[in-house]
Amino acid sequence: MASMSRRFVVLSLVLSLLLALAGGARADVGGIPLVDLKPGVVLVLSGGGTRGISHIGVLKVLEELKVPISAIVGTSMGSIIGGLYACGYSAQELHRLVVESNFLDLLSDRAHRERVDTGDNRPPGGVVSLFQVHFDKDHDRIGPMGGMAAVGLFNYLNQITATRASGPSFNDLPIPFAAVATDLQTGEAVVLRRGNLASALRASMSIPGLFDPWTMEGKLLVDGGLVANLPVSIARELFPGHPILAVNLSPDDITKDRKSFRSITDVISQTLNIMTAQGIREEARRADLLIAPNLEGFGILDSSGYDRIVEAGETAARGMSPQICALTDSCSLAAVPPTPSASPEPRRIPPVTALRIEGLPDSMARDIRHQYQHWVGHPLDMDAVNLAADRLSRREDFVSASGYVEDQGDGVAVVLSFQRRPAMEVGLDGYVTNLHTDRWVNLSAIRRDLVREGDVMDFQYRFGDQWGAELRYFTPYRGNSQWGFSLTAREENYEPSNAPADEWERYGFRGVYYVENGNTRTGFGVLAEHLRIDGRDEDSVGPYLHLAHNALDNVLYPTRGYSVTADVWSPKLETVLSRTEFQAYLPWQEDWRVVLRGGVETGDNSNPAHRAYLGDQEELYSLADHPLQGEQAVWAQLGVGHTLMKTWWGRINAEVFGTWGAVYEDWSRTAEGWETGVSFSIPGQFFNGRLLVVYDQSGEFTFGFSLGDPVWWNSPMP
């Protein structure tokens, strides 16, 4: 019911925004002078969600016919395909980048958080839960403003365009380009022709309700299709005197059969068709030639059939080859494959005359400026700018970070532009399973800029069979380092299969200084705890070390790379408590992966709260309710995973696995267990779900399920 209500909220947002913006609109085309274009056609590419992949097929035919393209104007998906082509990617390269990539995975913010969860040792990047509310500094509600942030898509676009789009404006691209978005405040079209190219593309495709609006040049921008889904008039104003070749993905007849409405995306797609139909017809009449691929049966967020969508564009363009060639003198109906273009003339490298920071408060901007002020006075090194933006984008206090340049006459100004997270976030989520009794509802809140600009505090309270609370605070980053502390309080109880049941209350303090170097985060500090156990109080304090390294390509569904996380605490000179976990992924054929997971936990057998437990964090599902207890624990899992289905809200994955684990006393094995099974998981933007069947060494089958994200607070350390 909660998921259903969320969908109705999303749909109502879409409808209200479309009605509000359906009125007259004008194009904001100022700020960038007109450019003398080479002879050829001006290509106009319309929006259409994943149907826009058909633009690649059209481009393939234009390449075969050797049709010169003077400029490109795109909206929504048309801007993404057009922008990538304009910055130098061929149609074949676009096919590989878009069709063969996990395109829908990029839409999920959760799917592309840069690092695995490292517990207490990383500042919160934001509340990720089914129910969440955002507030500004004045405690006025400001979101969420969409179903998906699609930051992963922006990061991907920034990665593949950063070195190709380094000029002050999009006129400097190999093909001059403009992206069309809609100003959410005024309802006017905004033509984006400068700044960070990936930001322009991300802004242009922000379908209201589905995706968060995107901020650029001080404007809150949404999908350009609301006011100019086929921007022929804008193209004529920007690039007069050239024939317009437009590609329209919207059907002439918007009537649909009742059975075609199967999901919320079908409703949104038809709503967009209805609201934009009249404007598209008028714009289509202004084009010199219109190509309209037959995309019947494809939706705006289809998860498959990409090759057929490309083929539809190719078929439509090839069927109009004579008309296309009639637009230009440079055309070959013989369809000779294009020859590689000559290397462009080397461009003069301008000096950096200024460094500007956008989107940050003064104190944070000063820190960033101090790190990169050495760029000023030296020749522009766009690789260094892009590397800095990539590193900064991994910080949890930023939604995104990007770099671009502005012309200063005698040089260029480097601009580092940031989008920050809300000042306050509140969320409600939980975890439920039939594997064990450790189920809970979790209330969480995050507050930023509490004491100083750039700091963050978060609080969590867990309701369930075992209560728990945690308060964490992190100072602002200073370069690549920061301080952090946490206060924890929780109840723990265990019913081991090889020892008597026990329970206790644990209160802890952790103060740590953290240093980051690329994908590695190291922490040094002190950890103290107070235990109430067996009617007595016990205190411990000692040095603490944290180490985390992540080289995974994707957090939610990794296909390659590895990660390691280790926490070590010495409450007494003769005792070392630790927990180390690792995971490694190797791609195998298409949509398959080999998975290796495991870990080691060391404890103190003289204290039940400090013992090692195997199964309490689902290391072995069959031991989850009654784990094995020992002084040390070791486990390893080998699995083979496969994607059964991809949708815009996530994947359905299957994995066959085998797991072995054992507990030890002074590293002499005292008990062990193994299991083999198959799991079906649905990781996604809004929830995580899992079904599994496990056969263990006792000859029993376990049929389990879980819903939600487990956040484990049980370990030898507070």
Side-chain angles (χ1 to χ4, degrees):
M1 291 299 292
S3 177
M4 185 70 69
S5 64
R6 184 184 182 95
R7 292 184 177 184
F8 281 121
V9 171
V10 170
L11 180 57
S12 65
L13 283 172
V14 173
L15 292 174
S16 61
L17 286 169
L18 288 175
L19 291 172
L21 298 174
R26 64 173 179 82
D28 175 12
V29 297
I32 301 293
L34 298 179
V35 62
D36 291 331
L37 301 180
K38 64 183 181 181
V41 301
V42 171
L43 189 61
V44 174
L45 303 180
S46 75
T50 50
R51 292 180 302 186
I53 296 173
S54 62
H55 292 314
I56 297 174
V58 175
L59 290 169
K60 284 185 177 182
V61 175
L62 296 182
E63 286 183 352
E64 292 174 3
L65 298 176
K66 295 187 176 180
V67 174
I69 299 175
S70 302
I72 300 176
V73 180
T75 291
S76 196
M77 191 64 174
S79 73
I80 292 179
I81 301 299
L84 294 177
Y85 194 79
C87 72
Y89 286 101
S90 68
Q92 190 60 43
E93 288 173 324
L94 286 179
H95 195 151
R96 177 180 55 82
L97 288 172
V98 176
V99 177
E100 296 178 7
S101 67
N102 296 322
F103 187 75
L104 287 179
D105 284 345
L106 299 173
L107 299 180
S108 172
D109 189 26
R110 291 181 51 184
H112 282 262
R113 285 180 289 182
E114 291 295 331
R115 297 179 174 85
V116 293
D117 177 21
T118 52
D120 295 331
N121 291 285
R122 182 164 293 284
V127 170
V128 181
S129 61
L130 185 59
F131 304 98
Q132 54 182 293
V133 184
H134 301 167
F135 300 90
D136 61 18
K137 290 184 178 181
D138 298 323
H139 304 102
D140 294 327
R141 181 173 176 177
I142 58 171
M145 296 186 186
M148 292 177 281
V151 174
L153 176 61
F154 167 76
N155 290 337
Y156 178 69
L157 292 172
N158 199 43
Q159 174 188 346
I160 63 178
T161 62
T163 58
R164 295 171 178 249
S166 57
S169 82
F170 302 161
N171 284 346
D172 300 316
L173 296 174
I175 301 175
F177 171 73
V180 180
T182 301
D183 189 325
L184 189 58
Q185 293 178 272
T186 66
E188 297 175 347
V190 177
V191 181
L192 302 169
R193 303 178 61 200
R194 63 185 176 191
N196 180 269
L197 179 60
S199 280
L201 305 185
R202 170 61 180 82
S204 181
M205 54 73 65
S206 302
I207 300 175
L210 282 180
F211 305 113
D212 287 347
W214 196 257
T215 302
M216 194 171 179
E217 295 188 355
K219 296 181 175 68
L220 195 62
L221 303 178
V222 293
D223 196 295
L226 297 182
V227 290
N229 201 44
L230 187 67
V232 174
S233 296
I234 292 175
R236 287 205 181 277
E237 186 175 354
L238 290 175
F239 308 112
H242 291 261
I244 301 292
L245 173 58
V247 183
N248 178 34
L249 307 181
S250 299
D252 289 332
D253 182 6
I254 63 173
T255 304
K256 288 192 174 184
D257 185 83
R258 173 66 178 82
K259 295 181 179 179
S260 64
F261 299 103
R262 303 181 301 267
S263 67
I264 186 173
T265 57
D266 295 326
V267 175
I268 291 174
S269 177
Q270 179 67 349
T271 303
L272 291 172
N273 288 336
I274 294 170
M275 301 302 297
T276 61
Q278 182 60 34
I280 289 175
R281 293 189 191 102
E282 294 177 359
E283 290 291 292
R285 287 193 291 268
R286 295 173 183 149
D288 294 286
L289 183 63
L290 185 73
I291 299 176
N294 181 4
L295 297 170
E296 185 177 354
F298 294 104
I300 63 172
L301 285 177
D302 277 354
S303 57
S304 60
Y306 293 165
D307 287 317
R308 290 186 291 122
I309 295 175
V310 172
E311 185 180 349
E314 193 172 345
T315 300
R318 185 161 285 113
M320 301 184 70
S321 294
Q323 296 94 316
I324 294 173
C325 282
L327 296 177
T328 174
D329 295 332
S330 302
C331 186
S332 173
L333 287 173
V336 179
T339 58
S341 58
S343 300
E345 295 267 337
R347 297 178 57 186
R348 182 184 70 89
I349 300 177
V352 177
T353 57
L355 173 63
R356 291 201 300 107
I357 309 297
E358 287 184 344
L360 296 184
D362 291 342
S363 62
M364 297 181 70
R366 281 195 300 270
D367 179 62
I368 301 295
R369 190 178 295 108
H370 177 73
Q371 294 181 63
Y372 302 107
Q373 188 65 31
H374 62 275
W375 292 342
V376 177
H378 292 83
L380 173 66
D381 184 349
M382 205 61 201
D383 287 337
V385 175
N386 295 327
L387 178 60
D390 177 66
R391 288 176 175 173
L392 291 167
S393 69
R394 303 179 187 218
R395 285 179 30 174
E396 293 78 3
D397 46 347
F398 301 142
V399 173
S400 67
S402 59
Y404 63 94
V405 299
E406 290 183 346
D407 190 8
Q408 298 286 297
D410 57 344
V412 294
V414 173
V415 182
L416 292 176
S417 181
F418 299 85
Q419 296 199 36
R420 297 193 68 201
R421 300 189 183 277
M424 182 181 295
E425 299 177 64
V426 178
L428 183 68
D429 59 6
Y431 183 71
V432 60
T433 181
N434 68 335
L435 296 170
H436 50 80
T437 59
D438 195 7
R439 301 179 285 265
W440 60 80
V441 174
N442 194 59
L443 175 65
S444 58
I446 297 174
R447 181 68 166 90
R448 297 182 177 86
D449 302 337
L450 183 67
V451 179
R452 302 167 59 190
E453 292 175 335
D455 67 1
V456 57
M457 182 177 72
D458 77 307
F459 174 76
Q460 296 186 59
Y461 188 84
R462 177 180 297 176
F463 307 85
D465 295 329
Q466 300 181 59
W467 65 269
E470 180 176 42
L471 176 71
R472 301 190 301 154
Y473 177 82
F474 289 84
T475 63
Y477 278 92
R478 286 296 175 259
N480 64 342
S481 63
Q482 68 180 157
W483 288 92
F485 74 83
S486 65
L487 298 171
T488 60
R490 64 180 185 258
E491 177 188 45
E492 298 180 27
N493 57 69
Y494 290 88
E495 296 182 5
S497 58
N498 62 337
D502 219 329
E503 63 181 43
W504 55 85
E505 290 182 4
R506 189 197 300 260
Y507 304 87
F509 168 82
R510 182 182 317 214
V512 187
Y513 176 73
Y514 299 97
V515 178
E516 292 192 3
N517 183 13
N519 289 335
T520 302
R521 183 173 174 89
T522 306
F524 310 89
V526 63
L527 195 156
E529 75 168 1
H530 174 79
L531 284 173
R532 267 183 206 164
I533 183 169
D534 295 332
R536 70 180 190 277
D537 292 338
E538 185 174 318
D539 296 315
S540 301
V541 63
Y544 169 77
L545 171 67
H546 168 76
L547 176 66
H549 179 80
N550 183 349
L552 297 175
D553 64 336
N554 184 301
V555 172
L556 203 59
Y557 188 76
T559 59
R560 67 176 69 245
Y562 68 95
S563 70
V564 180
T565 303
D567 295 281
V568 182
W569 178 41
S570 179
K572 303 174 184 177
L573 291 178
E574 69 276 9
T575 303
V576 175
L577 310 181
S578 70
R579 182 178 176 91
T580 301
E581 298 179 68
F582 70 89
Q583 50 185 331
Y585 298 84
L586 179 68
W588 179 43
Q589 300 182 354
E590 185 178 359
D591 284 333
W592 289 82
R593 61 178 186 171
V594 177
V595 187
L596 179 62
R597 306 183 184 94
V600 178
E601 190 171 278
T602 63
D604 178 6
N605 210 25
S606 65
N607 187 329
H610 292 168
R611 292 170 184 161
Y613 292 87
L614 178 64
D616 63 321
Q617 297 188 31
E618 298 179 0
E619 297 92 351
L620 275 78
Y621 297 108
S622 56
L623 297 177
D625 209 24
H626 298 286
L628 295 175
Q629 173 189 291
E631 194 167 43
Q632 297 90 23
V634 176
W635 67 97
Q637 181 183 88
L638 178 65
V640 178
H642 177 62
T643 296
L644 300 178
M645 182 186 298
K646 298 179 186 178
T647 70
W648 66 273
W649 45 262
R651 294 168 172 258
I652 298 180
N653 303 318
E655 183 175 307
V656 178
F657 61 89
T659 312
W660 171 88
V663 292
Y664 298 80
E665 301 290 340
D666 291 328
W667 294 106
S668 295
R669 189 165 59 204
T670 57
E672 64 180 339
W674 61 263
E675 65 185 22
T676 184
V678 59
S679 69
F680 301 91
S681 60
I682 311 176
Q685 173 72 7
F686 305 127
F687 63 91
N688 274 341
R690 183 185 298 271
L691 296 173
L692 54 90
V693 180
V694 172
Y695 178 79
D696 61 42
Q697 64 178 6
S698 64
E700 296 183 356
F701 282 94
T702 299
F703 298 88
F705 76 89
S706 65
L707 185 64
D709 291 306
V711 181
W712 305 113
W713 286 355
N714 46 331
S715 85
M717 290 169 282

